[in-house]
Amino acid sequence: MTATSSTSAGRVYDRGYRRYDGPRGGRWAAVRALFLGSVRRALGLRRSWKQKVLPWLLLAVAAAPAAVFVGVGYVTRDTPAAEFEFITYRDYVGVSTALLLFVAVTAPDLICPERRQRVLPLIFSRPLTGRDYVLAKAGAVFAVVFAFGFLPQALLFVGQMLVSDAALTYLRENAEVLWQAPLSVAVLAAFLALLGTAIASLATRRMVAAAALLGLFLVSSSVSGVLVAGGDSSAAALVNVISLPLFVRDLVFLGHIGDDTPLGGLNGGGALAIACYLAVTGACVAVLLVRYRWAER
Amino acid sequence: MLRTEHLRKAYGSTVAIDDLSVDIPSGRVGLVGANGAGKTTLFRLFLGLARPTAGSVEVGGRRVAEDPVGIRARIGYMPEHDCLPLDQSAADVVATLGELAGLPARAARQRASDMLDLVGLDEARFRAVGTYSTGMRQRTKLAQALVADPEVVLLDEPTSGLDPSGRDEMLDLVARLGADEMSVLMSTHLLADVQRACDHVVMLDAGRLVVAGGTEDLLDTTGTILVEVDGPSEALVAALTGRGLACAVSGGRVEVTAPDADAGLDAIRDEVSELGLPLNSLATRLTSLDEVFVQRAPR
């Protein structure tokens, strides 16, 4: 250690370069670090309060229906309103557009600046591959969307259980929800995460990516709406991109496509829905892998 | 430390690296070449971020093609261009990149702090990188390259965009790193930077090797001896010319071209002695790396 300067108040040392001989993780440690960093960024952690507002506001919006239903159920537990019914867990999976907005904001925020500000060469100079990057980024969006989708479901379930006359009976009678709800939310979260990150990977500006994603939702649902306007069941309902995970959700909860959907009653509708879901998610994975094949250029 | 053998990298019809075989030793090595000489491509090949069209690349005795991810864990890299996330602080950026290199979170934070100290970023480390000057960004880029304590660090034009004092400080840092058991490969198009900070130099031109060797060794190869005597030098010039040595008088000194430096020095000593001329100085002229490059690069 060399003293480089001193004053009456103290002394400044040039400690020089020091070696590191502590533990080192490998590739998975890098993936985990990138995943956790992306989750923190998505939630606005270690960022200014402005960046914290949106994610937590959207979580509040997503959870609000559950809180309201549980609250009403609690207040009227002794004098139940005749027409009051709790929202079903199936309906809750797709009830809020907050998740769509969240993905449209978050996925571009995790992907676009790193491309626009040319951070990727720094990231890929670490022990990571393009596939690792895709896994960490899409995984982070999935994890946060899943949490935002599942927490309200958990709130609804616990609330209903506590408000019911016999909590254990409620739990026993609704035990299948314990796997149906998380699986359905996972189906939705995986779809949104892959679609969001894939579209974001094609743009360098966040606004462009967000607009493209929301535009896709809007245009596909409008086109689908026009095509199935007659009211009969039609495979044209599959054109609506955002309905694809909800059709799969129906298969999880009901074992068939819900009759209240434009695909309900169509022969082979379930298989078609799964095929379209897999085709879209597969295409998204392919886009992402091609965009980040850094090590093979 | 770094080695290439008959390395070729082509992008379509554009050849970036052409039959490059070079052994880059440990220590401070300068990679010199004009823009487009293939320096950045060579870095990408060392990092395993590009595949050779032909030939092989080794880092620390291991072939990059066999384990590019493992190789990257041993290398620090400072790109030439702007590459820092502008909305994050230097402390966060360097710590995050430390974690991506495999350091535990706490160790990455501590190392980030140490490296930012080392490069001279003090309190500013907690400000957003977007508010930094070019010099501060270069320092941050250097800190992130060092944070995981790599065996070798690749610095792509580290003095680019710096003012003279910033450039001096950056070169001082590079020189200090090379003295700390870490190998440094610094690319630049400024030969003076290499001459000042590096022990070895590798010169590229259009993807081909021009020359590689110790900086001092290359500087010794001018074949020119400078003689300064007290008094008129015509007699000395005539005598040396008579011995078959080409001479020219410049600035009061005699420049003697001697293919064999030792024989030339002996001849000059003998003639000066015979002519009884007071000898003020006798030295082999050291060329600059610029001259070495100009002499050896193919036209």
Side-chain angles (χ1 to χ4, degrees), chain A residues 19-253:
Chain A
R19 309 293 316 212
Y20 172 76
D21 55 7
R24 287 176 191 268
R27 183 172 158 189
W28 288 110
V31 176
R32 180 175 173 273
L34 189 59
F35 169 80
L36 290 177
S38 300
V39 169
R40 279 197 296 267
R41 184 176 176 90
L43 296 176
L45 304 179
R46 293 190 193 166
R47 302 180 79 187
S48 72
W49 66 268
K50 291 177 192 169
Q51 266 105 22
K52 290 181 173 65
V53 170
L54 188 65
W56 296 106
L57 180 65
L58 291 177
L59 174 61
V61 169
V68 169
F69 275 101
V70 170
V72 171
Y74 176 75
V75 170
T76 62
R77 65 191 183 284
D78 296 326
T79 55
E83 296 183 2
F84 176 74
E85 282 185 23
F86 276 99
I87 187 172
T88 65
Y89 297 103
R90 168 180 168 264
D91 288 342
Y92 208 127
V93 172
V95 73
S96 177
T97 54
L99 293 182
L100 303 184
L101 287 173
F102 181 78
V103 171
V105 171
T106 301
D109 187 51
L110 293 186
I111 298 283
C112 297
E114 288 177 354
R115 183 176 293 281
R116 183 172 168 77
Q117 294 166 7
R118 304 170 77 188
V119 184
L120 293 177
L122 279 190
I123 292 173
F124 287 115
S125 69
R126 266 56 189 180
L128 280 168
T129 66
R131 276 174 293 176
D132 297 336
Y133 181 85
V134 169
L135 181 65
K137 290 290 179 178
V141 179
F142 168 83
V144 180
V145 173
F146 178 82
F148 280 21
F150 183 66
L151 283 176
Q153 294 264 8
L155 175 65
L156 188 64
F157 188 89
V158 172
Q160 289 203 68
M161 195 169 72
L162 296 178
V163 168
S164 67
D165 295 333
L168 283 177
T169 303
Y170 182 87
L171 177 62
R172 200 162 41 245
E173 290 175 351
N174 294 278
E176 71 277 10
V177 171
L178 295 178
W179 67 266
Q180 288 171 336
L183 179 58
S184 299
V185 173
V187 165
L188 177 66
F191 187 85
L192 294 178
L194 288 170
L195 193 61
T197 48
I199 288 179
S201 75
L202 299 172
T204 52
R205 289 182 178 275
R206 282 177 282 199
M207 287 295 289
V208 172
L213 192 58
L214 292 175
L216 177 66
F217 293 152
L218 193 63
V219 169
S220 69
S221 63
S222 300
V223 170
S224 174
V226 169
L227 292 176
V228 296
D232 295 332
S233 297
S234 167
L238 294 165
V239 172
N240 184 359
V241 172
I242 194 54
S243 70
L244 294 178
L246 301 183
F247 292 144
V248 179
R249 168 208 64 182
D250 283 0
L251 296 175
V252 172
F253 272 101

Side-chain angles (χ1 to χ4, degrees), chain A residues 14-20 23-25 30 41 46-47 117-119 122 124 126-129 294 297, chain B residues 49-51 72 81 83 85-87 97 100 102-104 109 111 114 117 144 148-149 176 180-182:
Chain A
D14 172 12
R15 293 181 296 179
Y17 181 81
R18 290 192 294 178
R19 309 293 316 212
Y20 172 76
R24 287 176 191 268
R41 184 176 176 90
R46 293 190 193 166
R47 302 180 79 187
Q117 294 166 7
R118 304 170 77 188
V119 184
L122 279 190
F124 287 115
R126 266 56 189 180
L128 280 168
T129 66
W294 271 71
R297 283 203 280 179
Chain B
L49 294 176
R51 284 182 174 178
R72 286 203 284 276
H81 55 73
C83 57
L86 302 179
D87 61 345
L97 289 165
L100 292 189
L103 301 188
R109 285 253 148 218
R111 287 283 301 175
D114 290 348
D117 263 344
Q144 66 77 29
D149 188 24
R176 284 169 60 192
D180 280 314
E181 302 172 23
M182 178 188 295

Side-chain angles (χ1 to χ4, degrees), chain B residues 194-265:
Chain B
V194 174
Q195 203 159 337
R196 176 171 159 186
C198 298
D199 309 315
H200 289 78
V201 61
V202 175
M203 294 186 185
L204 296 181
D205 183 55
R208 285 182 161 271
L209 180 66
V210 174
V211 66
T215 311
E216 295 299 325
D217 297 339
L218 289 173
L219 295 179
D220 278 336
T221 59
T222 60
T224 301
I225 300 168
L226 302 176
V227 192
E228 190 172 350
V229 293
D230 204 2
S233 55
E234 291 80 1
L236 177 62
V237 169
L240 291 173
T241 305
R243 283 179 173 247
L245 296 171
C247 298
V249 179
S250 173
R253 294 186 304 185
V254 180
E255 292 185 7
V256 183
T257 303
D260 182 339
D262 290 340
L265 286 168

Side-chain angles (χ1 to χ4, degrees), chain B residues 11-22:
Chain B
Y11 297 96
S13 60
T14 305
V15 178
I17 300 286
D18 190 10
D19 194 29
L20 179 67
S21 295
V22 64

Side-chain angles (χ1 to χ4, degrees), chain B residues 17 53 75 110 129 135 271 281 287:
Chain B
I17 300 286
T53 308
I75 298 181
Q110 182 59 52
V129 170
E271 292 300 339
S281 69
T287 188

Side-chain angles (χ1 to χ4, degrees), chain B residues 22-297:
Chain B
V22 64
D23 209 339
I24 299 174
S26 302
R28 293 166 295 198
V29 182
L31 180 64
V32 184
N35 292 334
K39 304 186 296 291
T40 300
T41 300
L42 188 58
F43 279 180
R44 289 178 53 78
L45 288 160
F46 282 133
L47 286 163
L49 294 176
R51 284 182 174 178
T53 308
S56 65
V57 186
E58 289 180 16
V59 173
R62 291 164 62 188
R63 291 171 79 92
V64 174
E66 291 170 3
D67 183 19
V69 173
I71 293 290
R72 286 203 284 276
R74 305 166 66 182
I75 298 181
Y77 175 48
M78 174 183 174
E80 176 188 5
H81 55 73
D82 281 340
C83 57
L84 299 170
L86 302 179
D87 61 345
Q88 297 177 35
S89 69
D92 281 343
V93 171
V94 177
T96 299
L97 289 165
E99 285 187 62
L100 292 189
L103 301 188
R106 185 182 294 251
R109 285 253 148 218
Q110 182 59 52
R111 287 283 301 175
S113 176
D114 290 348
M115 291 307 104
L116 289 166
D117 263 344
L118 182 77
V119 301
L121 280 179
D122 301 320
E123 292 306 313
R125 76 184 62 167
F126 299 112
R127 277 174 28 207
V129 170
T131 66
Y132 283 9
S133 65
T134 302
M136 293 164 80
R137 292 184 191 191
Q138 290 293 87
R139 289 164 186 266
T140 307
K141 282 159 59 180
L142 178 61
Q144 66 77 29
L146 302 173
V147 67
D149 188 24
E151 292 171 30
V152 57
V153 61
L154 309 178
L155 309 179
D156 199 353
E157 303 274 4
T159 58
S160 175
L162 298 181
D163 60 24
S165 67
R167 181 171 161 242
D168 285 346
E169 289 169 5
M170 181 60 76
L171 291 174
D172 285 345
L173 275 169
V174 171
R176 284 169 60 192
L177 290 175
D180 280 314
E181 302 172 23
M182 178 188 295
S183 291
V184 180
L185 179 60
M186 176 182 81
S187 84
T188 179
H189 60 278
L190 300 172
L191 287 151
D193 287 0
V194 174
Q195 203 159 337
R196 176 171 159 186
C198 298
D199 309 315
H200 289 78
V201 61
V202 175
M203 294 186 185
L204 296 181
D205 183 55
R208 285 182 161 271
L209 180 66
V210 174
V211 66
T215 311
E216 295 299 325
D217 297 339
L218 289 173
L219 295 179
D220 278 336
T221 59
T222 60
T224 301
I225 300 168
L226 302 176
V227 192
E228 190 172 350
V229 293
D230 204 2
S233 55
E234 291 80 1
L236 177 62
V237 169
L240 291 173
T241 305
R243 283 179 173 247
L245 296 171
C247 298
V249 179
S250 173
R253 294 186 304 185
V254 180
E255 292 185 7
V256 183
T257 303
D260 182 339
D262 290 340
L265 286 168
D266 288 345
I268 293 166
R269 180 200 60 208
D270 293 346
E271 292 300 339
V272 167
S273 175
E274 279 187 23
L275 293 169
L277 293 168
L279 181 63
N280 287 348
S281 69
L282 174 63
T284 300
R285 184 179 133 184
L286 297 179
T287 188
S288 70
L289 285 175
D290 298 81
E291 288 170 301
V292 173
F293 187 84
V294 168
Q295 283 169 8
R296 303 209 184 190

